[in-house]
Structure formats: C-alpha cells, structure tokens
Amino acid sequence: NAGRARGLDGQDGQDAERDSPLTNFFDEAPRTVGDGADIPRAIGAGVDVPLLLDYNGAITEISVFVDVTHPDINRLRLTLIAPDATPYVIFDGANEASAANLQATFPGDRDPVDSLQPIVERETLAAGRWVLRAVDTDDSDDGALRRVNSWGLNITRRADNAWRLPS
C-alpha cells in the first residue's frame, strides 16, 4: 500500500464519515437559469432552457428542481438532457391529474419518470451544457401563460483533485 492514502475509516482514499483531509465530495448550491423561458403552446419541439456548469468532477448525487407556470400540468412534459445528450424524462403530465403549475424537486417531492441514477452510475461529469426541455401538448387555453420560471440542479460531485482539511 505504499503511496496510497487511507481515510479515517481505514479504506484507501475514502472516509465513510467524509471528514478526512482526503475527502473530495462537494455539495453544490443549486444554479438556476436567470429569467426562464416561455413554453410554446402545442408545439412538439417545446423549448430548451440551458444551464451551463463549470464544475469539475463526477456527479455522485443529483436532483432537478423546477418552477413552471402552466394551466394544466397533465399536458406538460419535462426532460433533462445531460451534456452527453442523454435524455431523462423527469415529468410526464399524461400520467397526472389535472392541476395548474408545477414546483417540485425530482427525486424528492416527486419521482422522475426516468431514474437519474444512470447519471451517477456512469460517473457523468458535472461540467457542460445541461438542458431542461419543456413541451406543451395543450391546444386549448389559448391565452394562458406557459413558462419555465426557473430550474436548476442540486448536485454533489467528486472533485478531480480536491483536498479538504477537517473543520
């Protein structure tokens, strides 16, 4: 084991308590997209709202929060698109009761349609262009507001070459 560091739990390079100087996990504050975007009514392509992250390291935990104004969320579909272009459907209103507006965290307040666990399992890098795609299928309610007010990612990441001192 020469040249290999051991955490306080005796394991190589990691510490179950996350309080060793070798700890390299960082909980990031959520980042949102400024002003949001209007969702076009009944257009299959919807609207893409990007979020650029410049964090290094692989994601170890992830959730998505959204704040969407919509007259009938059972006519709304939200998809998270990772920087590698992999789509994850987080909300499909077709499976929901009729209600207005959506403010939720996936997973957390609600379970996403597609699990976000593959992002962690593939050791997806945090850095890159993440996109929330919002699609409206409601061809009624002509004058109603449809808008992504804000959205963001709550992530914990394993930084590439980080060191933390015990507090």
Side-chain angles (χ1 to χ4, degrees), residues 108-130:
D109 302 324
R110 294 171 170 257
D111 290 329
V113 174
D114 295 337
S115 172
L116 302 180
Q117 193 58 33
I119 294 171
V120 173
E121 291 168 358
R122 291 187 194 126
E123 297 187 353
T124 302
L125 298 179
R129 184 177 187 265
W130 294 82

Side-chain angles (χ1 to χ4, degrees), residues 148-163:
V148 175
N149 299 311
S150 66
W151 78 281
L153 299 174
N154 297 308
I155 64 172
T156 300
R157 65 186 170 93
R158 185 182 63 246
D160 293 333
N161 47 8
W163 284 78

Side-chain angles (χ1 to χ4, degrees), residues 17-78:
E17 301 299 320
R18 290 189 177 184
D19 59 2
S20 158
L22 301 176
T23 299
N24 60 355
F25 290 91
F26 295 91
D27 293 319
E28 299 296 348
R31 292 192 180 183
T32 60
V33 176
D35 296 330
D38 290 337
I39 304 169
R41 183 175 67 86
I43 296 179
V47 64
D48 287 355
V49 187
L51 177 63
L52 300 175
L53 295 184
D54 58 2
Y55 301 136
N56 69 354
I59 293 174
T60 59
E61 293 178 33
I62 186 168
S63 64
V64 182
F65 67 89
V66 299
D67 177 3
V68 178
T69 299
H70 195 279
D72 189 356
I73 63 170
N74 73 353
R75 301 298 199 140
L76 177 67
R77 182 178 174 101
L78 300 174

Side-chain angles (χ1 to χ4, degrees), residues 133-156:
R133 178 171 293 154
V135 176
D136 170 75
T137 61
D138 185 5
D139 54 2
S140 61
D141 292 323
D142 201 9
L145 180 64
R146 295 160 172 81
R147 181 170 181 77
V148 175
N149 299 311
S150 66
W151 78 281
L153 299 174
N154 297 308
I155 64 172
T156 300

